[in-house]
């Protein structure tokens, strides 16, 4: 049986940063990811990152990932298993993994779950037609596989994901984009919106897709105005010829492991819906089960990396591999950086949401 | 405190509780069913759906056979799709010695009136199951009237049919205690709910002693966890219910394959699977059916078995406590016979007599004879495992 | 985000098992007010993806057609394996690397 101090599930930005930090502090770390390459969502991000200097804003996402991966390779305490999926938690210390086509059980003292988030689906007549896909899937096709599955894109949802993937579609030679958003304002950052507007993209707020049709694949979409309860306003429908429809209706935490273990959850719409309750140290309602990144509430790579570091330090301290003073000073630094990332008109809602989750966690922290 | 009253209270919303409630409601008797979680949340919603007659002990055989007759028209009766099919049931013999036991068993069953069972050679078995790897058996016992059904659809079907006839089913309510008036059942208490009744039937399987022990009654059943994993939908691979000495598999109406272990020894209760067993069963089943190697497992779960001391259920009155009826100890095969057992229990409670005598299943047998597994007939039962 | 409210009850919600919106609404009306019960009544979410796409939509429908609010509608209980694992892979292991103490198995609830 493979025995380690710390198992990290998911090698996205959160898991990579957590592994590096814990590995450098002397913990034996096993980092597992189901993909052939580490980096999680980062590797799809060919754009320059938003955020501050400190958080590598201006660096392209996949470069950030490459640097982390190099550092991890240099750290002898970290074992990285790729193409390996964690498929079950037997209990809080034993996890089943498929590695090299065989099953292994990992016996670990602590766990950081950094499994990211997945896209929310949207259901309308025609959503199962070829040509309708998640925005993330479209991004993978364009940026990783270098294929552009169509020319005329209907993007549904104007969060950062919708805006960025629309832009990347246009950069990849796409002819046109229509972007609809059910709310009455654009969800993502202004910079991204103006970039695609410069390409002539029409961003229509207060509008949604009613149905999609075509002969064996997407050929056209019926759009309609919606009211503030997102109900169709009768008589406002119109048709647009498109050959690809991407859904960017938000992300929600991928919590399979935490659900199986029986963690507590709370409903928190600003972070994607149901999220695992966790405290400021990133520990869940279960002793020794930590989380970091989008799985703790869908945010950004920059917050994911900081949460990964924070969780790693909490584990390091709990395993008595660093002093209380050291831990406290690191924790305060990271917390400050996280607060900086969660400021401004877009960040503040996430900060408030996080604070409300920490408040719930206070109740069970005392019980432990 | 909420108070209610019914002629009969049934504790436990499994298939036994629901089918009995249905039978009673048809007689116009007012029934309340109280279930801790939701209908079919335990054994009745977690089993493999095997409807097997072969291998039954002498006293149970007529029940299993009559149940098959009910199964044939159950969909029409309940207005459901139970997915019941007579696919046959094949039990492999791994040695000549086992094959002899099968032959002895088949003779006994035939003598008792089951004409549809016969022992096959390996070659004949592989005609019935072409996917079976060569050299894995010395033959097997084959019963053509056996089959399988969908446990969820069936149990929900009984519950809905009972509800339509006026049975009140109270879910998410755990019965805490049985209330007595002297030596008579008065009702039950469940949190702040009190239900008075003339007759109380306890049909809570593995949990029976939770309610019985406080009355000084100890039913000789051992709770045990059994488990299944299920694959994605597959093309038809194995038609009959296939039992080997170590694993079994059966392919559902939808095409998912259920795979389980034959002889569980997890003396605990739980709805998650034993991860060691999941791996062992995966390894074992592809030794028999190599074509399953590439099938994907999508879910594994556990469910309760209530193993009785002599492998037979405990049905009927509990002497010393008037108005108390138990139904438990199904020892891993309570789903198959439930349509008839529910009918018998409802006759017993509603009419004071049943169309097939429940005497062999009386609770008292354990005090009288220290009943235990009958070695003569069990020789085969042992091989067939504790369930199905 | 937005559930558009034109009736379209034949639209497929669970792609793996091909379960329509109408079937799910019927189940909810018959008392299936949890994701688990909708699954057990209709098979929605019983397929290969284990409800990764449809769970969210089913939660929305339960909120719309029952008296429950979103914070009363959790996900289904998660049973391993989370990802489809081939039987040949599940059965490919070495005892000392992959089997745990029986005690640990008995404690699983
Ligand atoms: C289009 C788009 C643009 C974005 N742009 C920016 C940006 O400019 N700036 C920014 O800060 N953020 C951006 N983000 C967000 C950022 O990519 C995510 O917030 C970040 O990747 C989350 O990191 P994570 O480590 O939590 O999860 P992920 O990156 O999602 O990584 C999780 C990893 O865990 C693996 N995994 C999950 N379950 C298992 C399992 N059971 N076994 C093994 N492995 C498993 C997954 O396969 C994945 O590799 C963008 C996101 C998108 C989609
Ligand atoms: C993995 C597995 C495979 C099986 N395969 C087969 C098969 O192929 N063929 C076959 O015939 N049989 C099979 N069985 C056995 C079959 O499932 C049972 O015999 C049958 O379901 C028994 O039904 P029941 O109603 O007695 O019990 P259950 O369905 O277990 O119902 C008991 C109910 O009582 C409730 N309860 C418990 N305590 C309380 C309380 N205090 N208050 C209120 N309610 C309470 C529980 O929640 C439960 O719903 C299998 C069992 C398992 C576990």
């Amino acid at each position: 049986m493979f025995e380690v101090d710390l198992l990290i599930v998911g090698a996205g930005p959160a898991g990579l940063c957590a592994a590096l930090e814990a590995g450098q502090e002397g913990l034996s770390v096993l980092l597992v990811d189901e993909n052939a390459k580490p980096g999680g969502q980062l590797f799809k991000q060919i754009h320059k990152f938003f955020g501050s200097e400190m958080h590598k804003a201006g660096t392209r996402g996949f470069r950030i990932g490459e640097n982390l991966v190099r550092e991890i390779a240099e750290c002898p305490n970290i074992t990285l298993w790729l193409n390996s999926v964690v498929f079950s938690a037997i209990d809080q210390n034993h996890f089943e993994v498929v590695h090299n086509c065989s099953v292994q059980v990992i016996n670990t003292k602590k766990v950081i779950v950094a499994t990211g988030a997945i896209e929310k689906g949207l259901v309308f007549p025609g959503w199962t037609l070829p040509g309708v896909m998640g925005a993330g899937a479209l991004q993978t096709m364009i940026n990783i596989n270098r294929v552009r599955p169509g020319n005329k894109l209907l993007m549904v949802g104007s969060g950062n994901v919708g805006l960025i993937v629309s832009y990347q579609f246009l950069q990849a030679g796409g002819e046109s984009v229509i972007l609809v958003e059910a709310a009455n304002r654009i969800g993502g950052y202004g910079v991204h919106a103006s970039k695609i507007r410069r390409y002539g993209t029409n961003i229509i707020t207060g509008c949604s897709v009613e149905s999609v049709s075509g002969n064996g694949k997407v050929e056209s979409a019926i759009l309609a105005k919606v009211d503030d309860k997102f109900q169709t306003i009768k008589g406002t429908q119109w048709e647009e010829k498109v050959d690809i429809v991407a859904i960017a209706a938000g992300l929600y935490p991928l919590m399979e492991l935490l659900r199986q273990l029986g963690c507590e959850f709370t409903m928190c719409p600003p972070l994607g819906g149901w999220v695992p309750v966790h405290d400021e140290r990133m520990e869940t309602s279960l002793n020794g089960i930590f989380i970091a990144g989008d799985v703790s509430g869908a945010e950004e790579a920059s917050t994911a990396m900081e949460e990964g570091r924070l969780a790693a330090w909490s584990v390091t301290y709990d395993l008595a591999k660093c002093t209380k003073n050291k831990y406290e000073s690191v924790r305060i630094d990271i917390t400050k950086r996280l607060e900086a990332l969660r400021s401004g008109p877009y960040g503040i809602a996430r900060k408030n949401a996080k604070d409300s989750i920490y408040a719930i966690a206070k109740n069970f922290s005392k019980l432990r | 405190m909420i108070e209610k009253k019914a002629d009969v209270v049934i504790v436990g919303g499994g298939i036994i509780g629901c089918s009995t409630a249905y039978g009673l409601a048809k007689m116009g008797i007012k029934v309340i069913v109280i279930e801790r979680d939701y209908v079919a949340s335990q054994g009745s919603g977690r089993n493999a759906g095997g409807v097997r007659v072969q291998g039954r002990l002498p006293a149970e055989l007529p029940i299993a056979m009559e149940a098959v007759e009910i199964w044939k028209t159950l969909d029409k009766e309940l207005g459901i799709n139970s997915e019941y099919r007579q696919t046959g049931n094949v039990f492999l013999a791994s040695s000549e010695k086992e094959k002899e036991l099968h032959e002895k068993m088949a003779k006994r069953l035939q003598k008792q009136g089951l004409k549809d069972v016969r022992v096959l050679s390996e070659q004949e078995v592989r005609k019935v199951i072409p996917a079976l790897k060569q050299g894995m058996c010395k033959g097997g016992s084959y019963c053509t009237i056996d089959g399988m059904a969908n446990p969820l659809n069936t149990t929900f079907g009984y519950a809905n049919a009972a509800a339509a006839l006026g049975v009140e089913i109270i879910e998410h309510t755990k019965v805490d205690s049985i209330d007595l008036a002297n030596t008579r059942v008065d009702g039950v208490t469940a949190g702040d709910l009190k239900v008075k009744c003339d007759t109380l039937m306890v049909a809570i399987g593995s949990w029976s002693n939770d309610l019985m022990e406080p009355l000084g009654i100890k039913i000789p059943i051992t709770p045990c966890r059994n488990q299944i994993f299920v694959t994605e939908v597959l093309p038809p691979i194995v038609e009959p219910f296939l039992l080997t000495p170590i694993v079994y598999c059966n392919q559902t109406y939808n095409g998912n394959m259920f795979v389980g272990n034959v002889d569980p020894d997890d003396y605990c209760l739980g709805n998650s699977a034993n991860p060691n067993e999941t791996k062992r069963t995966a390894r074992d089943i592809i030794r028999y059916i190599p074509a399953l190697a590439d099938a994907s497992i999508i879910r594994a779960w556990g469910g309760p078995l209530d193993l009785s001391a002599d492998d037979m259920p405990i049905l009927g009155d509990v002497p010393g406590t008037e108005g108390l009826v138990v139904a438990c100890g199904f020892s891993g095969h309570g789903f198959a016979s439930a349509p008839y057992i529910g009918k018998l229990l409802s006759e017993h409670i509603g009419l004071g007599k049943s169309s097939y005598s429940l005497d062999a299943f009386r609770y008292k047998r354990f005090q009288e004879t220290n009943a235990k597994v009958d070695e003569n007939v069990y020789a085969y039962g042992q091989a067939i495992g504790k369930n199905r | 985000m937005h559930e558009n409210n034109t009736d379209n009850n034949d639209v497929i919600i669970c792609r793996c098992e091909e379960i329509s919106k109408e079937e799910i609404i019927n189940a909810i009306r018959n008392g299936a007010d949890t994701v688990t019960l909708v699954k057990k009544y209709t098979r929605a979410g019983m397929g290969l993806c284990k409800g990764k796409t449809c769970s969210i939509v089913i939660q929305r429908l339960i909120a719309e057609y029952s008296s429950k609010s979103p914070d009363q509608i959790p996900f289904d209980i998660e049973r391993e394996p989370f990802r489809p694992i081939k039987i040949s892979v599940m059965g490919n292991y070495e005892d000392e690397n992959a089997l745990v103490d029986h005690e640990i198995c008995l404690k699983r609830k």
Side-chain angles (χ1 to χ4, degrees):
Chain A
M1 201 165 305
F2 205 92
E3 289 185 23
V4 287
D5 292 330
L6 173 62
L7 167 67
I8 301 176
V9 187
L16 288 170
C17 285
L20 203 54
E21 218 74 3
Q24 284 169 351
E25 292 309 306
L27 275 65
S28 62
V29 178
L30 175 64
L31 175 60
V32 182
D33 197 285
E34 60 193 318
N35 297 299
K37 273 177 116 186
Q41 294 283 345
L42 273 182
F43 270 94
K44 292 194 253 168
Q45 320 300 337
I46 55 169
H47 58 281
K48 290 189 177 142
F49 257 45
F50 37 86
S52 67
E53 181 68 39
M54 189 172 57
H55 291 100
K56 326 239 179 196
T59 312
R60 292 178 198 276
F62 70 101
R63 289 259 182 268
I64 302 175
E66 281 175 356
N67 291 340
L68 284 169
V69 170
R70 190 163 349 94
E71 286 180 76
I72 281 184
E74 286 161 10
C75 182
N77 295 334
I78 306 173
T79 308
L80 174 62
W81 282 2
L82 296 173
N83 290 316
S84 303
V85 64
V86 176
F87 68 86
S88 176
I90 295 173
D91 64 14
Q92 283 164 239
N93 300 102
H94 298 86
F95 294 79
E96 293 184 286
V97 186
V98 170
H99 178 57
N100 287 339
C101 287
S102 84
V103 180
Q104 303 252 355
V105 171
I106 311 305
N107 182 353
T108 186
K109 295 187 179 124
K110 307 276 174 191
V111 184
I112 297 176
V113 177
T115 47
I118 55 176
E119 296 185 283
K120 290 184 187 170
L122 207 59
V123 167
F124 45 80
W127 76 282
T128 52
L129 272 179
V132 182
M133 59 186 78
L138 177 58
Q139 191 185 38
T140 307
M141 284 180 157
I142 299 171
N143 294 352
I144 309 261
N145 307 331
R146 306 262 165 212
V147 289
R148 183 169 39 76
N151 287 313
K152 295 184 157 95
L153 169 67
L154 169 65
M155 175 65 74
V156 185
S158 70
N160 279 327
V161 172
L163 297 173
I164 290 170
V165 175
S166 294
Y167 181 65
Q168 291 169 348
F169 178 82
L170 292 165
Q171 279 186 313
E175 215 173 274
S176 63
V177 176
I178 301 166
L179 198 154
V180 295
E181 165 60 54
N184 53 20
R185 65 180 189 85
I186 294 173
Y189 293 169
V191 278
H192 294 310
S194 29
K195 272 202 228 157
I196 60 171
R197 282 215 179 92
R198 251 175 266 137
Y199 267 91
T201 295
N202 198 2
I203 302 182
I204 315 168
T205 55
C207 171
S208 185
V209 56
E210 187 167 291
S211 66
V212 167
S213 60
N215 193 355
K217 71 179 289 299
V218 174
E219 286 167 1
S220 72
I222 304 289
L223 306 178
K225 285 285 188 184
V226 295
D227 62 22
D228 51 5
K229 294 196 179 68
F230 301 149
Q231 312 286 352
T232 301
I233 302 170
K234 281 214 173 67
T236 61
Q237 288 91 339
W238 80 98
E239 183 176 0
E240 292 280 358
K241 297 275 168 217
V242 292
D243 56 10
I244 180 151
V245 178
I247 310 298
L251 300 164
Y252 74 98
L254 183 56
M255 308 176 292
E256 300 148 308
L257 237 153
L258 303 165
R259 275 159 54 200
Q260 189 196 22
L261 280 165
C263 287
E264 282 187 37
F265 300 97
T266 179
M267 180 44 88
C268 186
L271 293 174
W274 286 105
V275 296
V277 176
H278 58 281
D279 59 18
E280 286 108 322
R281 325 168 61 240
M282 304 312 296
E283 194 167 16
T284 64
S285 60
L286 297 175
N287 220 331
I289 309 291
F290 292 77
I291 52 177
D294 280 0
V295 72
S296 76
E299 291 190 87
E300 301 174 345
S302 38
T303 46
M305 293 192 278
E306 294 294 8
E307 285 193 341
R309 292 187 186 108
L310 180 53
W313 277 97
S314 298
V315 168
T316 306
Y317 174 67
D318 286 0
L319 290 178
K321 294 279 170 82
C322 73
T323 64
K324 185 163 179 133
N325 283 346
K326 173 75 189 171
Y327 173 52
E328 282 307 321
S329 77
V330 174
R331 198 174 68 81
I332 288 165
D333 279 354
I334 299 177
T335 305
K336 275 192 195 135
R337 298 205 293 270
L338 276 168
E339 280 183 1
L341 286 167
R342 290 173 186 144
S343 60
Y346 291 99
I348 196 71
R350 288 186 277 119
K351 174 169 178 349
N352 292 339
K354 280 281 182 181
D355 286 344
S356 70
I357 294 171
Y358 301 152
I360 301 171
K362 285 233 162 59
N363 294 327
F364 59 69
S365 293
K366 278 190 220 108
L367 295 176
R368 264 206 299 267
Chain B
M1 188 66 75
I2 307 163
E3 289 195 22
K4 287 182 182 266
K5 194 168 164 27
D7 299 329
V8 179
V9 165
I10 296 175
V11 191
I15 192 165
I16 299 298
C18 292
S19 60
T20 307
Y22 169 72
L24 287 166
K26 280 207 298 191
M27 300 177 200
I29 293 171
K30 179 165 168 37
V31 184
I32 293 180
V33 175
I34 307 176
E35 161 58 42
R36 183 182 56 192
D37 295 323
Y38 53 89
V39 164
S41 54
Q42 288 301 329
S44 302
R46 305 176 165 275
N47 66 70
V51 178
R52 173 169 64 81
V53 177
Q54 72 167 337
R56 292 285 167 243
L57 295 171
E60 278 196 273
L61 182 68
I63 294 183
M65 287 173 71
E66 182 55 28
V68 167
E69 294 309 311
I70 302 178
W71 275 110
K72 287 180 187 164
T73 56
L74 193 62
D75 283 6
K76 229 167 105 199
E77 177 166 2
L78 301 180
I80 59 167
N81 179 10
S82 69
E83 300 173 1
Y84 173 68
R85 293 164 301 145
Q86 289 185 303
T87 56
N89 179 300
V90 173
F91 183 48
L92 301 183
S94 55
S95 63
E96 289 299 340
K97 201 169 152 239
E98 271 180 28
K99 198 172 167 194
E100 271 167 38
L101 291 171
H102 287 204
E103 257 147 15
K104 242 164 108 182
M105 170 66 79
K107 276 209 191 85
R108 172 179 68 76
L109 294 169
Q110 281 158 356
K111 219 156 86 199
Q112 254 193 289
L114 177 64
K115 300 289 171 237
D116 315 272
V117 63
R118 60 182 198 276
V119 176
L120 307 180
S121 67
E122 183 191 2
Q123 206 179 5
E124 288 167 322
V125 169
R126 293 189 64 232
K127 271 220 191 83
V128 182
I129 308 173
L132 178 68
K133 192 173 163 190
Q134 195 168 359
M136 293 306 290
C137 70
K138 298 284 179 219
S141 169
Y142 180 38
C143 180
T144 50
I145 63 164
D146 287 350
M148 56 187 95
N150 180 322
L152 284 169
N153 292 6
T154 310
T155 310
F156 289 148
Y158 270 115
N160 291 337
L165 293 175
V167 173
E168 186 181 355
I169 301 179
I170 305 174
E171 295 178 293
H172 307 291
T173 304
K174 178 172 180 273
V175 170
D176 301 312
S177 62
I178 297 173
D179 305 327
L180 299 181
N182 295 320
T183 56
R184 234 198 126 17
V185 161
D186 190 41
V188 293
T189 303
D192 59 1
L193 171 72
K194 248 186 186 324
V195 189
K196 285 192 181 284
C197 61
D198 299 325
T199 307
L200 172 67
M201 181 169 108
V202 177
I204 57 174
S206 293
W207 294 269
S208 299
N209 282 320
D210 291 358
L211 291 181
M212 305 305 275
E213 269 181 5
L215 305 184
I217 300 162
K218 171 120 182 105
I219 302 193
I221 51 169
T222 310
C224 174
R225 172 178 59 192
N226 192 14
Q227 68 185 67
I228 290 176
F229 70 69
V230 64
T231 70
E232 64 192 309
V233 170
L234 304 169
I237 296 180
V238 177
E239 200 198 339
F241 198 116
L242 172 64
L243 280 158
T244 81
I246 49 175
V247 273
Y248 69 84
C249 71
N250 63 306
Q251 191 163 12
T252 68
Y253 182 83
N254 283 288
N256 307 86
M257 189 70 79
F258 278 8
V259 181
N261 58 337
V262 164
D263 201 6
D265 63 349
D266 284 354
Y267 296 103
C268 68
L269 291 171
N271 291 335
S272 36
N274 172 336
N276 291 352
E277 282 309 321
T278 304
K279 284 175 282 228
R280 284 193 198 114
T281 24
R283 189 182 57 194
D284 289 341
I285 195 66
I286 49 181
R287 287 176 47 217
Y288 288 94
I289 311 289
L292 285 176
D294 282 341
S296 284
I297 303 175
I298 51 182
R299 191 176 298 108
W301 66 83
L305 300 182
D306 41 352
L307 306 174
S308 81
D310 62 1
D311 220 23
M312 294 211 299
I314 296 134
L315 308 172
D317 301 339
V318 181
T321 310
E322 276 165 80
L324 179 61
V325 173
V326 286
C328 65
F330 290 97
S331 304
H333 53 268
F335 175 72
S337 298
Y340 191 40
I341 294 211
K343 185 159 180 270
L344 292 173
L345 287 166
S346 62
E347 290 169 353
H348 176 77
I349 294 170
L351 309 173
K353 57 178 198 286
S354 52
S355 47
Y356 177 80
S357 170
L358 297 180
D359 194 51
F361 310 104
R362 69 197 180 282
Y363 163 69
K364 256 193 339 209
R365 71 183 185 270
F366 298 101
Q367 282 94 46
E368 294 157 356
T369 60
N370 195 12
K372 58 178 182 3
V373 176
D374 179 339
E375 294 297 335
N376 281 324
V377 276
Y378 196 60
Y380 173 91
Q382 200 124 48
I384 210 157
K386 293 182 184 110
N387 51 317
R388 278 151 305 282
Chain C
M1 204 170 71
H2 40 179
E3 174 65 41
N4 66 48
N5 207 34
T6 38
D7 282 341
N8 301 316
N9 281 351
D10 51 357
V11 61
I12 295 293
I13 303 270
C14 167
R15 218 169 170 163
C16 304
E17 296 287 333
E18 296 190 2
I19 310 298
S20 71
K21 185 169 167 185
E22 181 168 10
E23 289 170 88
I24 289 167
I25 293 173
N26 282 341
I28 298 169
R29 291 202 166 122
N30 285 326
D33 59 355
T34 62
V35 178
T36 306
L37 276 180
V38 168
K39 178 185 84 178
K40 293 191 174 188
Y41 277 42
T42 66
R43 298 181 62 83
M46 265 194 198
L48 206 54
C49 92
K50 308 193 73 173
K52 283 209 179 57
T53 310
C54 67
S55 288
I56 293 270
V57 182
I58 290 170
Q59 285 169 330
R60 277 185 223 139
L61 289 173
I62 294 173
E64 195 175 334
Y65 290 90
S66 80
S67 56
K68 286 189 168 174
S69 57
D71 61 350
Q72 299 172 314
I73 314 168
F75 286 100
D76 187 16
I77 288 167
E78 182 72 50
R79 302 252 175 250
E80 75 271 12
F82 320 139
R83 305 298 157 79
I85 308 283
K86 283 184 181 178
I87 296 184
S88 55
V89 173
M90 187 69 88
N92 181 24
Y93 62 93
E94 280 162 29
D95 289 9
E96 63 273 23
N97 291 340
L99 300 186
V100 295
D101 289 349
H102 194 57
E103 286 306 306
I104 291 176
C105 300
L106 292 184
K107 279 199 202 115
R108 290 195 95 203
K109 286 302 160 215

